[in-house]
Amino acid sequence: MSMTVKILYFAALRERLDRAEERLDLPPGVATAGALRAHLAGRGGAWEALTSVRNLRVAVNQRMGGADTPLADGDEVAFFPPVTGG
Amino acid sequence: MSMTVKILYFAALRERLDRAEERLDLPPGVATAGALRAHLAGRGGAWEALTSVRNLRVAVNQRMGGADTPLADGDEVAFFPPVTGG
Amino acid sequence: MTVRVQRENFDPGAEMDALCAGRLDVGACASFVGLVRAANDGRGVAAMTLEHYPGMTEAALEDIVQQAGRRWNILDTLVIHRYGELRPGDRIVLVVVIGAHRGEAFAACEFIMDYLKTQAPFWKKESTPDGQRWVEAKTSDDDAAARWRE
Amino acid sequence: MTVRVQRENFDPGAEMDALCAGRLDVGACASFVGLVRAANDGRGVAAMTLEHYPGMTEAALEDIVQQAGRRWNILDTLVIHRYGELRPGDRIVLVVVIGAHRGEAFAACEFIMDYLKTQAPFWKKESTPDGQRWVEAKTSDDDAAARWRE
């Protein structure tokens, strides 16, 4: 039984990856936001930004999360640099 | 050589004294705001408010003063209750 | 740095715009408007009369604004305070502080309001169903002003 | 309690008036406007583009405003935040808090700005003479937000 998530990238990270979003079938064993981040960084090249960018933030279903936040089928996961509004 | 001051009363104190201002030749020995206040209270009746009103404020030449603030000829002395603007 | 003491109403938005007009160095505009409430300390208020001490009022407000300018790195300040008879819903006071950064603009604006409450010679008289009464100074206002002295 | 995320400009005075309209229980209206400065960290800024995360932005701002409503006794709140391309002098954000008393209105307004700076998903990209650059998050903003957690 596969789990599919929607992944969004914002701001400087979006530009480095040259990608705003994708759909991904989670590989076996990838069940948290932290595991997904490590999996994506494993693609190499620009994707290493996912572990090298300082203080990268993650949101799951539009709420701030952390490395331990669990993922479920249909979740929306967003990665982005620290925010700078206001 | 006489010293004359202008005295102003504001707000609840003005109403109690039924007077907004007066000119006064300072009696001998009345050389500070505190001494003037005691002198005025000595008139008796409503004037006792000058010592009985809690936290009465004094300004000399439009600057907040205290009992020790010295008086000079031509000064403007104001007595009033604690302020409540804003 | 402008201080105005007036009977007339004022337009907070127009005043804020005028203070920022033509400048490109303003990152933060903190403002405060004080208004007459229809009830105070549990009593209905039909009207309020603000008495002040002409001359000293302006001097006291200018002194407070200058203190704020020495304490914080701000660009400009506007204070407008009304006197005379006001009704519930009417504006009483406006403080606007502009600066490069928000922290200093907020602090200066609140400082000016706290000092104005305890240092500027205004007195309020309320018309209530039980007659007129002079508003008593609040110890909480003294406390608010005192915390800036630390 | 209103939160708006929009490309269009806004009129702070009109928004403040609308928030107070028809009520006689407002004694204090604290507000903040953030604007684009022509220089930031010593670099000239010709334009700024604000990116955001549609959906999460509104949810994050509403959450911040609700936190403020639980912490302070306030009557109503308005937050407007723009996105898209802005120029020096343009308004970015408006926060208005109305309440009976000034201390709580000021605190809630500053709290909302501090939390918005660190919790709402907006990112700024500046166009400078040296090209475009993403604005770095400031540790001073984290510090400002952290002081409310005491």
Side-chain angles (χ1 to χ4, degrees):
Chain A
M1 192 195 69
S2 77
M3 292 213 307
T4 305
V5 296
K6 180 180 177 183
I7 312 177
L8 305 176
Y9 308 100
F10 288 99
L13 184 66
R14 174 178 52 70
E15 290 187 349
R16 276 171 84 160
L17 301 178
D18 197 19
R19 188 175 298 194
E21 66 176 89
E22 64 179 295
R23 287 191 179 274
L24 184 74
D25 291 336
L26 293 183
V30 175
T32 64
L36 175 58
R37 176 177 165 172
H39 169 74
L40 293 167
R43 291 172 172 174
W47 293 92
E48 286 167 14
L50 276 153
T51 45
S52 66
V53 167
R54 202 163 51 91
N55 295 324
L56 197 77
R57 302 288 198 256
V58 63
V60 177
N61 296 327
Q62 308 193 347
R63 293 189 72 89
M64 290 289 190
D68 295 338
T69 306
L71 302 182
D73 189 45
D75 278 355
E76 178 175 296
V77 185
F79 293 100
F80 45 79
V83 305
T84 60
Chain B
M1 191 196 68
S2 79
M3 291 214 307
T4 306
V5 296
K6 179 180 175 183
I7 312 177
L8 305 176
Y9 308 101
F10 288 99
L13 183 67
R14 174 178 52 71
E15 289 187 348
R16 276 171 86 159
L17 301 177
D18 197 19
R19 187 176 298 195
E21 66 176 90
E22 65 179 294
R23 288 192 177 274
L24 184 73
D25 292 335
L26 292 183
V30 175
T32 63
L36 175 58
R37 176 179 167 172
H39 169 73
L40 293 167
R43 291 170 172 175
W47 293 93
E48 287 167 13
L50 277 152
T51 45
S52 65
V53 166
R54 200 164 52 91
N55 295 324
L56 197 77
R57 303 287 198 256
V58 63
V60 177
N61 296 328
Q62 307 193 348
R63 293 189 70 88
M64 289 289 190
D68 295 338
T69 305
L71 301 182
D73 188 44
D75 279 354
E76 178 175 298
V77 185
F79 293 100
F80 44 80
V83 303
T84 60
Chain C
M1 195 194 96
T2 307
V3 165
R4 302 209 308 260
V5 180
Q6 63 189 42
R7 211 176 259 285
E8 302 73 39
N9 192 12
F10 51 81
D11 179 341
E15 299 294 349
M16 288 160 66
D17 290 349
L19 203 63
C20 293
R23 10 192 0 153
L24 299 177
D25 54 352
V26 181
C29 174
S31 77
F32 180 83
V33 179
L35 303 104
V36 181
R37 288 183 300 143
N40 189 20
D41 294 341
R43 266 171 294 248
V45 175
M48 170 181 284
T49 303
L50 260 155
E51 179 172 334
H52 77 120
Y53 180 173
M56 179 170 170
T57 315
E58 290 82 353
L61 293 175
E62 277 163 20
D63 181 58
I64 292 165
V65 168
Q66 277 166 4
Q67 285 184 55
R70 285 192 295 271
R71 283 180 77 133
W72 290 283
N73 189 18
I74 53 180
L75 294 168
D76 204 355
T77 304
L78 168 71
V79 176
I80 304 178
H81 203 301
R82 296 176 69 188
Y83 62 89
E85 186 164 314
L86 303 174
R87 301 268 162 190
D90 283 354
R91 300 183 189 102
I92 304 169
V93 61
L94 171 68
V95 177
V96 185
V97 177
I98 57 175
H101 303 289
R102 78 184 184 289
E104 300 196 277
F106 267 123
C109 187
E110 195 167 8
F111 169 91
I112 291 169
M113 275 306 304
D114 285 348
Y115 266 56
L116 182 160
K117 281 264 179 187
T118 58
Q119 303 292 318
F122 288 100
W123 302 272
K124 286 175 182 159
K125 191 182 201 177
E126 293 175 344
S127 299
T128 76
D130 304 327
Q132 298 202 308
R133 68 170 198 122
W134 289 97
V135 176
E136 296 256 335
K138 288 186 196 159
T139 55
S140 62
D141 285 333
D142 288 326
D143 296 344
R147 75 199 156 108
W148 298 104
R149 281 182 215 118
E150 283 154 22
Chain D
M1 195 195 94
T2 306
V3 165
R4 300 208 310 258
V5 179
Q6 63 188 42
R7 213 177 258 285
E8 302 72 40
N9 192 13
F10 52 81
D11 178 342
E15 298 294 347
M16 288 159 66
D17 290 349
L19 203 63
C20 292
R23 17 193 351 157
L24 299 176
D25 53 353
V26 180
C29 175
S31 77
F32 180 84
V33 179
L35 303 104
V36 180
R37 289 183 299 142
N40 188 22
D41 294 340
R43 265 171 295 247
V45 175
M48 170 181 283
T49 304
L50 261 155
E51 180 172 334
H52 77 120
Y53 180 173
M56 180 171 170
T57 315
E58 291 81 355
L61 293 175
E62 276 163 20
D63 181 59
I64 293 164
V65 168
Q66 278 167 4
Q67 285 184 55
R70 285 193 295 270
R71 283 181 78 134
W72 290 284
N73 188 18
I74 54 180
L75 294 167
D76 204 355
T77 304
L78 169 70
V79 177
I80 303 178
H81 203 300
R82 296 176 70 188
Y83 62 89
E85 186 163 313
L86 302 173
R87 303 266 161 192
D90 282 354
R91 301 182 188 103
I92 304 169
V93 60
L94 170 69
V95 177
V96 186
V97 177
I98 57 175
H101 303 290
R102 79 185 182 288
E104 300 196 276
F106 267 122
C109 187
E110 195 167 5
F111 169 90
I112 290 169
M113 274 306 303
D114 285 347
Y115 266 57
L116 182 160
K117 282 264 179 188
T118 58
Q119 303 293 318
F122 288 100
W123 302 272
K124 285 176 183 158
K125 191 182 201 176
E126 294 175 344
S127 300
T128 76
D130 304 326
Q132 297 201 309
R133 68 171 199 122
W134 289 97
V135 176
E136 296 256 335
K138 288 186 196 158
T139 55
S140 62
D141 285 334
D142 287 326
D143 295 344
R147 74 199 158 109
W148 299 103
R149 280 180 216 119
E150 283 155 21

